[in-house]
Amino acid sequence: MTGIVDDASDPFVRAVKPLVDAMGGEMMPPQAAGQDDVVLSWEGVDVLAVRLPQLADSLDHILAAMERKQGKPLADLDRKEKQEVVRVLEARGAFSVRHGVETVAGALGVSRFTVYNYLNREKAT
């Protein structure tokens, strides 16, 4: 890849990169953008394009980021911490993704039933 996307010293690229990384996107030159990519402009100039991940890939990326933030596998969290993870994931729309409950249950090392209980517990409070 050539152009500003490769230039880590560019302040715009440095500013946008953590966000793109956090959502699991891919940066590319604007001329390489496809129909579904988002072209970012700065002061009237197309600077870079961002290819957004598929929703299912986003959930895996979010889970990996949460694991890094916790500093240990999500399955090793205690019950209260797992409930908080489920709360955060629900707020981020994780359970609107097909097989979202199953994916989260696997990452937390609990059953789907347990994830549904955590979700219902949150709604009851």
Side-chain angles (χ1 to χ4, degrees), residues 5 8 16 19 22-23 28 31 40 50 67 75 82 84 90-94 97 114-115 119 125:
V5 176
V16 172
L19 177 61
M23 53 187 210
M28 64 192 69
Q31 62 271 21
L40 301 177
V50 177
E67 203 164 80
K82 288 179 182 181
E84 177 62 16
E90 182 179 29
R92 294 186 70 182
V97 175
T114 298
V115 172
L119 288 167
T125 56

Coordinates of all heavy atoms in Angstrom, one line a residue, residues 5 8 16 19 22-23 28 31 40 50 67 75 82 84 90-94 97 114-115 119 125:
V5 N -1.7 6.5 4.1 CA -2.0 5.4 5.0 C -0.8 4.8 5.6 O -0.8 4.3 6.8 CB -2.9 4.4 4.3 CG1 -3.2 3.2 5.3 CG2 -4.2 5.0 3.9
A8 N 2.9 6.7 9.2 CA 2.6 6.7 10.6 C 2.8 8.1 11.3 O 2.4 8.4 12.4 CB 3.3 5.6 11.4
V16 N -6.7 8.7 13.8 CA -7.8 7.8 13.4 C -7.5 6.3 13.6 O -8.4 5.5 13.9 CB -8.1 8.0 11.9 CG1 -9.1 7.0 11.3 CG2 -8.7 9.4 11.7
L19 N -9.1 4.2 16.6 CA -10.5 3.9 16.4 C -10.7 2.8 15.3 O -11.5 1.9 15.6 CB -11.2 5.2 15.9 CG -12.7 5.1 15.6 CD1 -13.5 4.6 16.8 CD2 -13.2 6.4 15.1
A22 N -9.7 -0.4 16.9 CA -10.7 -0.8 17.9 C -11.9 -1.5 17.4 O -12.5 -2.4 17.9 CB -11.1 0.4 18.8
M23 N -12.3 -1.0 16.2 CA -13.5 -1.6 15.6 C -13.2 -2.7 14.6 O -14.0 -3.3 14.0 CB -14.4 -0.6 14.9 CG -13.7 0.3 14.0 SD -14.8 1.6 13.5 CE -14.2 1.9 11.8
M28 N -6.9 2.1 4.2 CA -6.4 1.9 2.8 C -6.4 3.3 2.1 O -7.1 4.2 2.6 CB -7.2 0.9 2.0 CG -8.6 1.3 1.8 SD -9.7 0.0 1.2 CE -9.7 -1.0 2.6
Q31 N -8.2 5.9 -3.0 CA -8.5 5.4 -4.4 C -8.7 3.9 -4.4 O -9.2 3.4 -5.4 CB -7.3 5.8 -5.3 CG -6.0 5.3 -5.0 CD -5.2 6.1 -4.0 OE1 -5.7 7.0 -3.3 NE2 -3.9 5.9 -4.0
L40 N -12.5 9.0 4.4 CA -12.3 10.1 5.3 C -11.6 11.2 4.7 O -10.5 11.0 4.0 CB -11.6 9.6 6.6 CG -12.2 8.4 7.3 CD1 -11.3 8.0 8.5 CD2 -13.6 8.8 7.8
V50 N -11.6 3.6 5.0 CA -11.7 2.6 6.0 C -12.7 1.5 5.6 O -13.8 1.8 5.2 CB -12.2 3.2 7.4 CG1 -12.4 2.1 8.4 CG2 -11.2 4.3 7.8
E67 N -10.9 -8.8 26.4 CA -10.0 -9.8 27.0 C -8.6 -9.1 27.3 O -8.1 -9.2 28.4 CB -9.8 -11.0 26.2 CG -9.3 -12.2 26.9 CD -9.5 -13.4 26.1 OE1 -8.7 -13.7 25.2 OE2 -10.5 -14.2 26.4
A75 N -13.1 -16.1 30.2 CA -13.6 -17.3 30.9 C -13.1 -17.3 32.4 O -13.7 -18.0 33.2 CB -13.2 -18.6 30.2
K82 N -18.2 -11.2 34.7 CA -18.9 -11.7 33.5 C -20.2 -11.0 33.2 O -20.6 -10.7 32.1 CB -19.1 -13.2 33.6 CG -17.8 -14.0 33.5 CD -18.0 -15.5 33.6 CE -16.7 -16.2 33.6 NZ -16.9 -17.7 33.7
E84 N -20.9 -8.0 34.0 CA -20.6 -6.7 33.5 C -20.2 -6.7 32.1 O -20.6 -5.9 31.3 CB -19.4 -6.1 34.4 CG -19.0 -4.7 33.9 CD -20.0 -3.6 33.9 OE1 -21.0 -3.8 34.6 OE2 -19.8 -2.6 33.3
E90 N -24.2 -6.0 25.6 CA -25.6 -5.7 25.2 C -25.7 -4.3 24.8 O -26.3 -4.0 23.8 CB -26.5 -6.0 26.3 CG -28.0 -5.8 25.9 CD -29.0 -6.1 26.9 OE1 -28.7 -6.0 28.1 OE2 -30.1 -6.4 26.6
A91 N -25.1 -3.4 25.5 CA -25.1 -2.0 25.2 C -24.5 -1.7 23.8 O -24.9 -0.8 23.1 CB -24.4 -1.1 26.2
R92 N -23.5 -2.5 23.4 CA -22.9 -2.3 22.1 C -23.6 -3.1 21.0 O -23.1 -3.1 19.9 CB -21.4 -2.8 22.2 CG -20.6 -1.8 23.2 CD -19.2 -2.1 23.2 NE -18.5 -1.7 22.0 CZ -17.2 -1.8 21.8 NH1 -16.5 -2.3 22.7 NH2 -16.7 -1.5 20.6
G93 N -24.7 -3.8 21.3 CA -25.4 -4.5 20.3 C -24.9 -5.9 19.9 O -25.3 -6.4 18.9
A94 N -24.1 -6.4 20.8 CA -23.5 -7.7 20.4 C -24.6 -8.9 20.3 O -24.3 -9.8 19.5 CB -22.6 -8.1 21.6
V97 N -26.3 -9.7 16.7 CA -25.6 -10.4 15.7 C -26.0 -11.9 15.8 O -26.2 -12.4 16.8 CB -24.0 -10.3 16.0 CG1 -23.2 -11.2 15.0 CG2 -23.6 -8.9 15.9
T114 N -26.9 -19.3 30.8 CA -26.3 -18.3 31.7 C -26.3 -16.9 31.2 O -26.6 -15.9 31.8 CB -24.9 -18.8 32.1 OG1 -25.0 -20.1 32.8 CG2 -24.2 -17.8 33.1
V115 N -25.9 -16.8 29.9 CA -25.9 -15.5 29.2 C -27.3 -14.9 29.2 O -27.5 -13.7 29.6 CB -25.3 -15.6 27.8 CG1 -25.5 -14.2 27.1 CG2 -23.8 -16.0 27.8
L119 N -28.6 -11.4 31.0 CA -29.3 -10.4 30.2 C -30.7 -10.1 30.9 O -31.0 -8.9 31.1 CB -29.6 -10.9 28.8 CG -28.4 -10.9 27.9 CD1 -28.7 -11.7 26.6 CD2 -28.0 -9.5 27.5
T125 N -33.3 -5.0 36.6 CA -32.9 -4.0 37.6 C -33.1 -2.6 37.0 O -33.4 -2.4 35.9 CB -31.4 -4.2 37.9 OG1 -30.6 -4.2 36.7 CG2 -31.1 -5.4 38.7

